[in-house]
Amino acid sequence: MYLRVTERRNRDGSTVVYYALAENVWNAQTKRSETQVIHTFGRADQLDKAALQRLIASIQRVIDADAAGAIATHDKASLPDIEIDAVFELGIVLAARTLWADLGIGAAIRGCIAEGELSAPHEMALFAMAAQRLDDPGSKLSCATRWLPDIAWLPEARDLTLHQFYRALDFLAVWSDQIERAVFLRAADLFRLDVDLIFYDTTTAYFEIDEPDEHCELWGGRLYAPLRRRGHNKEGRDNQPQVIIALAVTRDGMPVRSWVLPGDTADVATVARIKDDLRAWRLGRCVFVGDAGMYSAENLAALSRGLGRYILAVPMRKVKDVETEVLTRPGRYKPVADNLQVKEVVVGDGERRKRYVLCLNPEEAARERAHREQVLQELCAELNLLREREADHPKAACDLLASRRYGRYLTTDYTGRPRLDAAKVKAAAKFDGKFVVITNDDTLSAADIALGYKGGWIIESCFRRMKQTGLEVRPMFHWTARRIEAHVKLCVLALQMQRAAEIRCGLPWARIAHQLGALKAVRYQAGGRGIVQRTKIAGELADLLKKLGIPIPKRLLTVTEAPGTPVTA
């Protein structure tokens, strides 16, 4: 039965609404359901609504009383027992599956598998390892023995073994360039990425070993150079073997391509190869953006070949033009942002012409002046104390001159005693809050050049994600060059999925992962059946799934009818 609402339109255009209690009755002769009115309440505007509410309350009391009596008459043992067996991660796995498909990663891998006439489940193994990076980074052994069986709801990957994970890494090492290109072109089309600026930088990842690698490795028709070498470590671990990880990203932070280089490779030695590799992808007109570690005359020449364009930071204290021409050239700064002002300086003519952009951060300049004044006050106190300690003069003076904090402002008099050098203090003040970039692109304004270089923070953010705040590219437990490279490439694939999720949702990955973590798959047994059911989806989680393009999964994921048997994923 139900409350039937009907309307009647009068000649004057007004509408009258009637309420009636009705039910649907099957007519055997006409073989169809017909509406039968049981009671008519009359016009809605003349109805005593209080009386109708009392009727509803009376019916509800009868229903509650019957339900309470039914529960009281049943023994508790007659209720079906629900035994929860396990709880699995579902939200991040669903997000990873959607992003894996949308970015074309799976399609690129399947294409390479078909081209290589392979039959191993490399795609599923690589997806499982990449999804683990997004959820709970760990070793490949951890993925095979802990994450897949006990943490993540990924039934189709349950039978994968550790051996298959390693074989998938070998496959990725051989086909990584082709997969990276296909994925980036798909992402550039999907998100309409701007590829006019390509940011490039390098970082280091060290290993807990004593001896560097010495021998090359031949695998898949390619010769791999020894990767784990000692070099300048950007984390202060110069005594340990390491590898260099190079990354090129767009202004949106979407990885374009990655490289793994021997640990003793200098930044300036990588630019020519990186430019040639990117040019082979035919990305069109793009400007190469790098930091001061890439600056050298050879790199400027290499980047200029083939009408190449670049924006590079200049190591101010090492380039003569900066101190003699750029910093001393008169002219007004033009404001670009609240904390950024720029001034263009052109040095030389013709082929020797160099276009510099001097950038000033007033807030940073004020902080550096205040810090230098504090250091000078401490230094004056140390010099006064040194004059009072004549006996300890040689040792204390040497310590003061060698100090990284004070030595830059000191010189020695004719007796060898340290004294404050006013010229050095004045020279240091010229650099307060300033940085210099150089470019060969005359189509960009000084403001665009400064803002383009400032956008390089995005690649530093990518390195932090890979090394510290999520993907955990290290520790690396691999020792062969091909698997070290494949491990880094796998982390880059996970980084691409992270950035794609952030672009779609407009939220940092930490918040996205936190909300997705609320969606679980619960495995339990009830009434002789094994059931896997998802948790409730509502509110912010539902909105997040919609932004990510993830269809709402069905409530019951699997049902096993066999009684008395454990539910398998």
Side-chain angles (χ1 to χ4, degrees), residues 1-4 19-23 36-41 55:
M1 287 186 293
Y2 58 93
L3 186 66
R4 184 186 183 191
Y19 291 160
L21 185 65
E23 66 176 350
Q36 180 178 349
V37 177
I38 299 175
H39 175 73
T40 300
F41 292 103
L55 175 61

Side-chain angles (χ1 to χ4, degrees), residues 119 172 183 219 265 341 384 433 496 517:
S119 59
L172 182 60
V183 172
W219 178 266
T265 305
Q341 301 175 10
N384 292 333
Q496 287 176 313

Side-chain angles (χ1 to χ4, degrees), residues 434-456:
K434 298 174 183 175
F435 64 92
V436 178
V437 295
I438 186 172
T439 183
N440 67 339
D441 192 340
D442 292 332
T443 65
L444 298 176
S445 66
D448 290 337
I449 294 168
L451 292 175
Y453 174 74
K454 290 285 285 184

Side-chain angles (χ1 to χ4, degrees), residues 185-424:
L185 294 179
R186 169 64 178 164
D189 180 64
L190 182 65
F191 296 106
R192 295 175 181 166
L193 300 177
D194 292 328
V195 294
D196 54 342
L197 290 181
I198 299 295
F199 297 95
Y200 171 76
D201 202 356
T202 63
T203 189
T204 55
Y206 63 89
F207 291 77
E208 301 290 351
I209 61 173
D210 293 330
E211 297 299 328
D213 294 337
E214 299 293 343
H215 303 289
C216 297
E217 179 190 15
L218 181 62
W219 178 266
R222 174 184 165 188
L223 186 65
Y224 291 85
L227 291 179
R228 299 184 297 181
R229 309 286 296 173
R230 287 193 176 93
H232 173 65
N233 186 275
K234 298 185 178 182
E235 300 166 287
R237 307 290 291 262
D238 291 339
N239 60 329
Q240 289 180 278
Q242 63 181 14
V243 297
I244 302 293
I245 300 174
L247 192 63
V249 304
T250 68
R251 66 170 69 208
D252 300 289
M254 183 63 72
V256 178
R257 191 167 181 176
S258 61
W259 297 263
V260 184
L261 307 170
D264 56 357
T265 305
D267 284 354
V268 294
T270 65
V271 172
R273 172 188 170 182
I274 301 315
K275 180 177 181 293
D276 291 340
D277 288 348
L278 290 176
R279 185 170 53 188
W281 282 15
R282 298 180 181 178
L283 298 177
R285 181 188 182 278
C286 62
V287 181
F288 183 94
V289 183
D291 63 9
M294 314 296 168
Y295 183 90
S296 71
E298 293 79 6
N299 283 343
L300 296 182
L303 290 173
S304 299
R305 294 193 190 103
L307 300 179
R309 298 290 181 261
Y310 60 80
I311 299 175
L312 287 183
V314 179
M316 294 191 295
R317 290 175 172 82
K318 297 180 180 180
V319 178
K320 184 178 180 181
D321 282 348
V322 172
E323 290 200 52
T324 60
E325 298 283 350
V326 178
L327 295 179
T328 58
R329 184 73 60 89
R332 293 184 178 181
Y333 287 95
K334 296 180 180 179
V336 175
D338 293 339
N339 60 344
L340 182 61
Q341 301 175 10
V342 299
K343 180 172 64 174
E344 184 174 345
V345 179
V346 177
V347 178
D349 298 312
E351 294 183 356
R352 295 180 179 273
R353 177 178 178 271
K354 295 180 180 179
R355 187 185 181 200
Y356 295 97
V357 175
L358 177 59
C359 306
L360 171 65
N361 184 335
E363 296 179 2
E364 182 65 21
R367 283 193 295 268
E368 291 182 2
R369 281 195 299 270
H371 178 264
R372 186 172 56 256
E373 290 173 1
Q374 179 184 355
V375 171
L376 292 177
Q377 289 178 2
E378 297 174 2
L379 180 55
C380 290
E382 291 288 339
L383 292 173
N384 292 333
L385 182 62
L386 189 63
R387 296 189 189 98
E388 298 174 0
R389 297 163 52 189
E390 292 292 340
D392 298 333
H393 170 265
K395 184 175 183 302
C398 291
D399 291 342
L400 206 58
L401 288 169
S403 170
R404 296 182 62 183
R405 183 177 179 84
Y406 304 123
R408 68 183 68 181
Y409 304 114
L410 292 174
T411 187
T412 56
D413 58 18
Y414 68 96
T415 63
R417 286 183 169 85
R419 66 176 178 84
L420 192 64
D421 191 331
K424 290 184 177 181

